[in-house]
Amino acid sequence: MINYTEKIPNNVDLGRDRVLQRALEHWQPAYMGWWYDMGPNESHNYEVYLRTATSVEPDGWAQFGYVKMPDYRWGIFLQPRDEKREVNFGAHQGQPAWQEVPGEYRSTLRRIIVTQGDTEPASVEQQRMLGASCPSMYDLRNIFQVNVEEGRHLWAMVYLLHRYFGRDGREEAESLLARRSGDTDNPRILGAFNEPTPDWLAFYMFTFFTDRDGKFQLCALAESGFDPLSRTCRFMLTEEAHHMFVGETGVGRIIQRTCEVMKEHKVDDPSDVRALGVIDLQTIQKYLNFHYSVTLDLYGSDVSSNAANYFTNGLKGRFRETKLEDDHILSEVEYPVYEVVGEKIVAKKVPALTALNERLRDDYIDEIADGVARWQRVIDATGIPFRFTLPHKGFHREIGNFAGHFITPGGEVLSEETWKKRESEWLPTPQDHAFVQSLMTGRVVEPGKFANWIAPPARGINNQPLNFEYVRFN
Ligand SMILES: [Fe+2]
Ligand SMILES: [Fe+2]
């Protein structure tokens, strides 16, 4: 159970470690300062129908009620400890899971935790202006729920830094509040987290694609031999599921609305579709191409000695490591990666240990393909003959073997000049962004009402009706 009587809610018996408690209570006002500055714009007085964790058990953790976001009980929640847990892969396989940081892996683990932690406030910063153009009160509540949970994910990583990394950890925790998404002098660490999220289509795409990267990174860290990191990530994953739900259903509802309008008015030319105030499917495909490719870069280089070391040292596992049936050491096996040779993309087998980034990226791609297939079914159900395609994984990449090459969504290698000429067919242009944003100039917040460009969801939050007052503006 979570103790909510303390200043910092927690299930780690924080009160027993005075020094740690004081350090975190010192960080808390700095966090609140960051939230007031960089959290959702002009939202501090709103009462939002939010869920709050009451326990870390899988069945009973959510409680719903109106909360002003600055009063949200951000805290420290870890999945309970399994006394028998072991390091399940790499050179330390079979040892009891570590309860303290092994000295030789200290700086590596700190870097892993900081890199994960940095993404959490970044996405809040990226999304902070979207409340002003929300398509409904339901959606406004959902973005706020995502935002407060990303704030809690920051707390999750900051707890680890404070508890296990001493002064270095405290300094890193401060830096996490100092960097800013998109800032030229002090940007966030990873590329996709410095891209703007300028409109709601981008927001839903981000929560579908980029929060899912979060899921896969957390799944890999949930396998870590460093037990507190594992237990932290396991609880974060329960929150992440909701973010991806928001993204998948958000894009799905936009597709549905577009298709309904196309059917009703018997139009299929994108400019006719746009004239009816909905987003043409071609533009949705371009957003998909952008968010997919930018997110694929987050997995890092296809061949990486860092990834191999993380694994061999027991710090970061594979997706569903303990469900995989092999030796969990990977010294003998190979894995295919791709590279560009002349005008061709060729497969090349490399030691599996060095290809773990690529493998995690491939696991992610499988799940993405399933989600895109579900969007396709929304179109198919209306009988409209449009097909979404997932671009080739070399398309529009800036990291790894494909960086510096100019590859079409179909997987063709072009010259830079030819590729640039056709870029506007594949990626959103300034005109596309301007059009999407022209639909989102004001917010729709009358209970039960939805903007013209999106269909209502199948059901409300926590069994509430669609016209429930999800946000009170005061
Ligand atoms: Fe997160
Ligand atoms: Fe998330």
Side-chain angles (χ1 to χ4, degrees), residues 120 146 150 153 211 240 243:
E120 315 290 356
V146 171
E150 300 304 6
H153 290 177
D211 282 76
E240 210 59 74
H243 308 176

Side-chain angles (χ1 to χ4, degrees), residues 4-5 102 116 123 164 214 271 284 321 375 385 388 433 447 471 474:
Y4 275 102
T5 62
Q116 176 62 41
S123 65
Y164 297 98
S271 56
I284 297 174
E321 181 70 45
W375 288 342
F388 282 133
H433 279 130
V471 181
N474 301 314

